[in-house]
Amino acid sequence: MAKNVITALVLSAFCAVAFAEPHPGDVFIGKYCLECHDDLSEKGNRSFEELLFPLSDRAGIIEVQDIIDQLNLGEMPPKKAEQPSDEERAAAVAALTKEVQAAHAQLKSSGGQTVLRRLNEREYINTVEDLFLRRTDTFAPTDTFPNDQTREHLDTIGDELVTSSFLLQNHFEAANEIVEKALGMVEQPEVKNWHFQDDFYQGQELSYSHKNVFQYKYLCVYEVPNTVNHEGGYGGLEAFPEGVHADGLYEVKVLAHSMHRDSPYDPEIFGMDLSEPFRLGIVTGDARSGKLHHPQPIEPQLDEVTVADGKPKWYTMKAWLEKGQQPRFIFPNGMKNCRNAFSAISRRYKDTWPKGDRYHKDRGIVQARRVVLEHGKMPHIRIHEVKIRGPIYEEWPPPAQKRILGQGEFDAAHRKTVLKNFASQAYRRPPGEEELASLIAVADARIKKGHTPRQATIDAIKAALCSPAFLYLSEAGEKSGELLGAHDLAARLSYFLNATQPDDVLRQKADSGEILAPRVLVSEMDRLLAKAESEDFYRGFLDSWLNLRELGGMPPDRNASAVYYYDDLETAMKQEVIHFTRHIVEKNRPTRHFIHSDYTFLNHPLAQLYNLPFPYSKKERYQFHRVSLKENPKGRGGLLGMGAILTVSANGIETSPVTRGVFVLENILGTPTPPPPDEVPAIEPDTRGTTTIREQLEKHREVKTCAECHRKIDAPGFALENFDPIGRYRSKYPAAGKGKPAREVDASGEFSDGTAFANVHQFRQHLLTRQDFMTRHLAEKLLSYATGRQIDPMDRIAVEGILKRSRNEQ
């Protein structure tokens, strides 16, 4: 069903497809609603006295659609009021739906189509990487761009993706850097060799002890990069401050081995799995950007090898480096904090040191490091030699230059053809005569100023990257209801599902017009979803639907949640949601699996966090595998059991039923509570005498202006209280203080319709009865993400048509 939703959405968003209307019924607002929602009471800031049928305006449609949603949810009438029978409720929903349907037939939505919008930053990066056939994360051309504005977490909304003069200046600078790196080198760079040995200055915190014990003979890495003190997480080449002389791919050889994986000390000191082979990785480093043994703004991981125990061996890695950069070595599965480890070992095992060199507290951490390095067995990766060779180009000119500028020497006579072909790729359609003429004019002007025809053409290509034709996706047309053209449709589909420009196959179908046929459109949808680039769709959409973009925005406490950092759980948590969602789409599983499933996708660190078995070999521990949750006593299953959801809905330090309750209502069910009226001031309830979160909220609900919303919010929040700020299962809260007992977690609650639940499992079962709300919200988010505009109640008919079509195709 999940894939059917996307199929129906693509047809609805980008093609003219008709959907059937719902069935009619009777209206009962006067009998069950006006007691609380007349002009006098106006409860919830709503009055229905002026609501007239048949509906004649947009405001009426929005009001009635909200009534329909509340009836379907069972939220209204409130449980203390007179209740309609199930038959009356169903008839009311049918009748009100008929009224909305009829009003839609009379009114024309201001939406209903895609809108003009700028490429967001991630789409821009993907597109220029495809245009110029090279990675950009090694020099980050957009690192000075202002953050893209979002609406309801969506980063594809045209109204929010504005262009300022500051952003335009950044686009000029980025285009210059990107194009020069891809096309600017005329001659193939000289291949050079560097050899480093016997002079490995260690980071300043370890400098004294390494000089004293090893005389800088080795370069050692001890801990994961993401630590508090940054003491031993990076191995930089201090003797290579100038870095490499040219952009390109470099061969990096290291003579290395793992040390003391058989360490006799308490493994808790290290916070790492000593049974696991040590991994050595490479990240970029630039002495101009800061200390080589500290984190830097640009440091993507470029390669990795597994380092064996025993005698040193040569290992070969490949790393793309920009001019001025050098390789730095990291230990992705190293210890969590080597400063603390040095101190703990020197203190706890002082009786094992030679009598004349016993550790004394007053000697401090510097002496502690020296003692442990000289006499102890501290786990680490030891590098004896480093050889660097490059840049290595398998062909010259490189592929991007051949594709854009042509083979061999640049032919000035072909300047117009070069610019026309590039503009056709960059604009995702054939350029107009005026567009092409403006690019040629740029090149001509540069030639008049003394630049070579080749450089002038390159400068015109930079101008193309700053053109609205490149930076913007066009709208359907000036006439209301006009459909997207073939090239615009192909671009919209490609950016929706691959977050980049159309590939050659899709472009051919746009050139021929085939893409306009619904059958071909669906076929291309299937093909694009199967491509590796669809990872960008899942990542971008899940960031927008579930706000996963903010994961890590409120960092978990490093002491209470150290595992979150040294096991890189932030990345793993996102990957779980991506793998899970991809599986549901590719296998066309029911959307109810988002609420409850008996499986998920885990790697070993995430399985450990969840206290679940991971029946795969050590070689596969960082790969994601489907894991059964049929024997699941810890409340996993569906989105609400995943660490990413539970972490992003906490504040990193503690959990709040209110925060998580709001998250479920807004992001899962799509039924957010309204904000309090502007004229009602915020009220702080008297919570004196309360001792638990539950008691505090009960006190809070005694305030009438708070009670209505908390009646809806608190239940899903309470259901998730068995999960701590990073999603670990708990049966008790942390003790409030020394000597105070830990309190039991109470995950029970009651829905606003009176249905009670005892735990998160029962909560999920009841949530399944509201599955249609989740599926509708999912469809609306997908539709908004795809079309680049906010979906409003005037789009409800199209959304209902998508849901009906997806159900029929199960």
Side-chain angles (χ1 to χ4, degrees):
M1 180 177 177
K3 192 170 186 178
N4 293 339
V5 170
I6 297 179
T7 304
L9 180 144
V10 166
L11 291 171
S12 176
F14 302 135
C15 281
V17 179
F19 298 104
E21 297 184 4
H23 295 106
D26 298 319
V27 176
F28 75 169
I29 289 178
K31 181 177 179 180
Y32 291 106
C33 302
L34 287 184
E35 182 178 352
C36 295
H37 298 290
D38 60 5
D39 288 344
L40 183 62
S41 302
E42 205 169 342
K43 194 171 183 180
N45 202 32
R46 284 183 171 83
S47 172
F48 301 147
E49 275 202 60
E50 301 301 321
L51 193 60
L52 299 177
F53 295 98
L55 299 173
S56 59
D57 58 23
R58 180 185 178 88
I61 292 176
I62 294 173
E63 199 77 81
V64 171
Q65 189 61 66
D66 185 56
I67 295 172
I68 294 170
D69 290 344
Q70 295 300 315
L71 290 174
N72 282 330
L73 273 172
E75 301 284 0
M76 293 292 170
K79 65 178 181 179
K80 293 182 180 179
E82 181 184 358
Q83 296 294 312
S85 66
D86 291 344
E87 291 76 14
E88 285 181 294
R89 187 183 296 272
V93 169
L96 293 173
T97 302
K98 180 181 178 181
E99 294 291 345
V100 170
Q101 195 77 312
H104 269 288
Q106 297 297 321
L107 299 172
K108 195 168 186 64
S109 170
S110 62
Q113 62 183 19
T114 56
V115 297
L116 178 75
R117 77 165 179 87
R118 173 176 57 78
L119 299 183
N120 58 36
E121 184 179 345
R122 59 188 176 83
E123 293 167 335
Y124 176 88
I125 285 294
N126 290 341
T127 305
V128 296
E129 287 186 343
D130 286 346
L131 279 171
F132 297 104
L133 305 177
R134 91 183 303 275
R135 65 191 301 167
T136 61
D137 59 345
T138 51
F139 66 98
T142 63
D143 64 341
T144 59
F145 283 24
N147 291 334
D148 290 325
Q149 295 299 305
T150 62
R151 185 184 299 173
E152 295 184 7
H153 316 315
L154 289 158
D155 68 348
T156 59
I157 302 301
D159 290 346
E160 302 296 330
L161 293 169
V162 297
T163 300
S164 63
S165 58
F166 176 72
L167 177 59
L168 190 58
Q169 180 61 38
N170 276 269
H171 272 296
F172 287 140
E173 294 170 1
N176 182 68
E177 187 174 23
I178 291 164
V179 176
E180 286 296 333
K181 282 183 172 295
L183 306 178
M185 285 193 294
V186 179
E187 302 293 333
Q188 183 172 358
E190 175 190 0
V191 176
K192 291 187 177 182
N193 292 274
W194 296 268
H195 188 187
F196 301 93
Q197 59 182 337
D198 298 330
D199 188 21
F200 292 113
Y201 175 83
Q202 203 75 20
Q204 63 185 31
E205 293 84 355
L206 291 168
S207 178
Y208 170 81
S209 52
H210 267 259
K211 180 179 181 180
N212 191 289
V213 178
F214 298 142
Q215 290 76 50
Y216 293 149
K217 187 176 181 180
Y218 313 116
L219 182 62
C220 301
V221 280
Y222 296 91
E223 60 187 14
V224 295
N226 193 5
T227 61
V228 176
N229 305 117
H230 310 303
E231 184 160 321
Y234 296 89
L237 300 171
E238 297 285 349
F240 193 33
E242 71 280 7
V244 298
H245 64 294
D247 301 351
L249 188 66
Y250 287 81
E251 179 184 78
V252 181
K253 293 184 175 182
V254 294
L255 181 64
H257 57 146
S258 63
M259 293 291 293
H260 306 312
R261 211 158 58 87
D262 59 349
S263 177
Y265 310 128
D266 181 356
E268 291 296 322
I269 292 174
F270 309 120
M272 61 190 294
D273 186 352
L274 292 173
S275 69
E276 179 184 345
F278 291 175
R279 295 153 50 207
L280 179 67
I282 289 180
V283 297
T284 59
D286 192 329
R288 299 165 296 182
S289 298
K291 298 174 181 177
L292 294 172
H293 55 283
H294 278 192
Q296 294 189 349
I298 301 172
E299 52 176 35
Q301 184 167 335
L302 306 175
D303 205 351
E304 182 180 298
V305 292
T306 298
V307 179
D309 308 329
K311 294 182 179 180
K313 296 180 181 178
W314 283 102
Y315 298 90
T316 301
M317 291 177 276
K318 296 291 181 66
W320 182 278
L321 299 171
E322 308 294 336
K323 182 179 179 179
Q325 292 180 347
Q326 64 162 268
R328 290 188 298 160
F329 303 99
I330 60 170
F331 190 176
N333 58 338
M335 68 181 74
K336 62 181 179 182
N337 189 313
C338 76
R339 177 195 289 257
N340 291 348
F342 275 118
S343 179
I345 293 171
S346 61
R347 183 178 64 256
R348 291 170 58 178
Y349 297 92
K350 60 183 179 181
D351 291 339
T352 65
W353 316 136
K355 289 184 179 180
D357 206 3
R358 293 290 173 86
Y359 169 72
H360 297 287
K361 187 175 182 179
D362 59 356
R363 293 186 181 180
I365 186 63
V366 174
Q367 289 298 332
R369 297 188 191 103
R370 184 193 61 76
V371 169
V372 174
L373 288 180
E374 190 166 352
H375 306 298
K377 289 190 174 183
M378 172 70 88
H380 64 280
I381 295 176
R382 182 175 294 180
I383 298 172
H384 297 251
E385 297 181 47
V386 177
K387 294 180 179 180
I388 302 172
R389 176 177 174 269
I392 301 168
Y393 283 93
E394 295 182 356
E395 54 180 302
W396 191 267
Q401 292 194 23
K402 288 182 178 179
R403 188 176 74 174
I404 296 172
L405 300 178
Q407 300 278 354
E409 294 289 330
F410 178 76
D411 189 342
H414 295 161
R415 185 170 76 256
K416 180 177 180 179
T417 300
V418 167
L419 290 174
K420 182 178 181 180
N421 290 341
F422 179 80
S424 181
Q425 287 292 320
Y427 299 168
R428 302 168 286 273
R429 57 167 172 75
E433 287 299 323
E434 290 185 4
E435 292 172 321
L436 183 57
S438 67
L439 295 179
I440 294 172
V442 170
D444 290 344
R446 300 297 285 170
I447 290 173
K448 287 181 180 179
K449 289 191 174 184
H451 294 273
T452 66
R454 186 182 191 278
Q455 185 60 48
T457 303
I458 289 175
D459 289 341
I461 287 173
K462 297 173 189 175
L465 292 187
C466 298
S467 164
F470 171 70
L471 294 175
Y472 281 82
L473 297 175
S474 65
E475 55 192 335
E478 294 181 1
K479 295 180 180 178
S480 179
E482 185 177 338
L483 297 177
L484 288 168
H487 291 99
D488 290 332
L489 176 59
R492 290 285 180 162
L493 184 67
S494 184
Y495 280 98
F496 172 37
L497 298 177
N498 285 174
T500 189
Q501 64 183 10
D503 61 12
D504 291 342
V505 174
L506 183 56
R507 178 60 189 267
Q508 289 171 7
K509 294 185 185 301
D511 289 343
S512 68
E514 293 177 74
I515 193 63
L516 296 174
R519 172 184 55 80
V520 177
L521 184 66
V522 172
S523 175
E524 282 301 286
M525 179 203 79
D526 287 335
R527 187 181 67 82
L528 295 181
L529 279 172
K531 293 183 65 177
E533 288 82 354
S534 66
E535 172 86 2
D536 287 290
F537 158 67
Y538 290 105
R539 185 175 299 278
F541 176 67
L542 291 171
D543 279 352
S544 298
W545 175 29
L546 301 172
N547 197 25
L548 296 189
R549 190 181 295 107
E550 293 302 314
L551 188 62
M554 302 184 85
D557 180 76
R558 282 186 174 271
N559 293 321
S561 304
V563 66
Y564 179 84
Y565 298 96
Y566 66 74
D567 268 344
D568 193 17
L569 289 182
E570 183 177 317
T571 300
M573 287 175 177
K574 271 200 173 186
Q575 283 299 316
E576 178 187 13
V577 188
I578 290 172
H579 282 283
F580 182 77
T581 304
R582 180 186 287 276
H583 173 80
I584 288 177
V585 172
E586 290 181 345
K587 303 299 181 183
N588 205 18
R589 295 291 185 255
T591 53
R592 68 172 180 272
H593 284 200
F594 285 118
I595 296 175
H596 180 66
S597 66
D598 61 2
Y599 64 90
T600 189
F601 292 81
L602 305 175
N603 65 1
H604 183 258
L606 209 50
Q608 281 190 313
L609 183 79
Y610 296 170
N611 196 25
L612 291 172
F614 188 74
Y616 300 95
S617 69
K618 287 187 179 295
K619 290 182 179 180
E620 300 175 290
R621 65 190 299 131
Y622 292 100
Q623 299 172 15
F624 277 78
H625 297 273
R626 177 169 169 160
V627 174
S628 173
L629 299 176
K630 290 181 179 178
E631 300 295 329
N632 176 25
K634 301 299 184 183
R636 304 294 170 185
L639 293 174
L640 297 183
M642 295 184 181
I645 306 303
L646 297 163
T647 301
V648 82
S649 60
N651 67 7
I653 306 298
E654 59 190 4
T655 61
S656 165
V658 174
T659 304
R660 281 182 171 166
V662 168
F663 182 93
V664 172
L665 294 178
E666 289 186 351
N667 298 290
I668 305 299
L669 291 177
T671 57
T673 56
D678 293 337
E679 65 271 16
V680 177
I683 296 178
E684 291 296 332
D686 182 3
T687 58
R688 288 172 294 180
T690 61
T691 57
T692 68
I693 294 174
R694 185 176 292 271
E695 288 175 351
Q696 290 177 27
L697 289 174
E698 287 174 357
K699 203 75 172 171
H700 196 67
R701 287 195 295 272
E702 291 177 4
V703 180
K704 290 184 179 180
T705 52
C706 302
E708 184 63 27
C709 286
H710 280 279
R711 186 171 61 86
K712 302 174 183 179
I713 291 170
D714 294 349
F718 285 141
L720 300 178
E721 275 296 278
N722 273 126
F723 300 105
D724 79 357
I726 61 169
R728 286 175 294 208
Y729 187 87
R730 63 188 178 188
S731 58
K732 295 183 178 182
Y733 292 109
K738 190 174 182 180
K740 294 185 178 181
R743 290 183 172 272
E744 296 285 339
V745 172
D746 181 359
S748 64
E750 183 180 289
F751 285 90
S752 54
D753 64 1
T755 303
F757 58 87
N759 50 45
V760 68
H761 177 72
Q762 291 182 10
F763 172 78
R764 281 199 191 92
Q765 294 304 313
H766 186 72
L767 212 57
L768 287 172
T769 66
R770 305 183 177 197
Q771 177 191 337
D772 278 354
F773 280 87
M774 188 275 293
T775 305
R776 181 179 294 108
H777 180 59
L778 173 62
E780 289 176 349
K781 281 290 188 180
L782 277 166
L783 192 58
S784 188
Y785 182 83
T787 59
R789 67 176 181 84
Q790 201 72 17
I791 302 304
D792 63 29
M794 298 298 286
D795 298 300
R796 194 59 174 266
I797 293 178
V799 173
E800 293 299 331
I802 290 171
L803 298 181
K804 182 174 182 179
R805 182 184 178 93
S806 68
R807 293 189 198 105
N808 292 340
E809 293 182 359
Q810 288 190 66

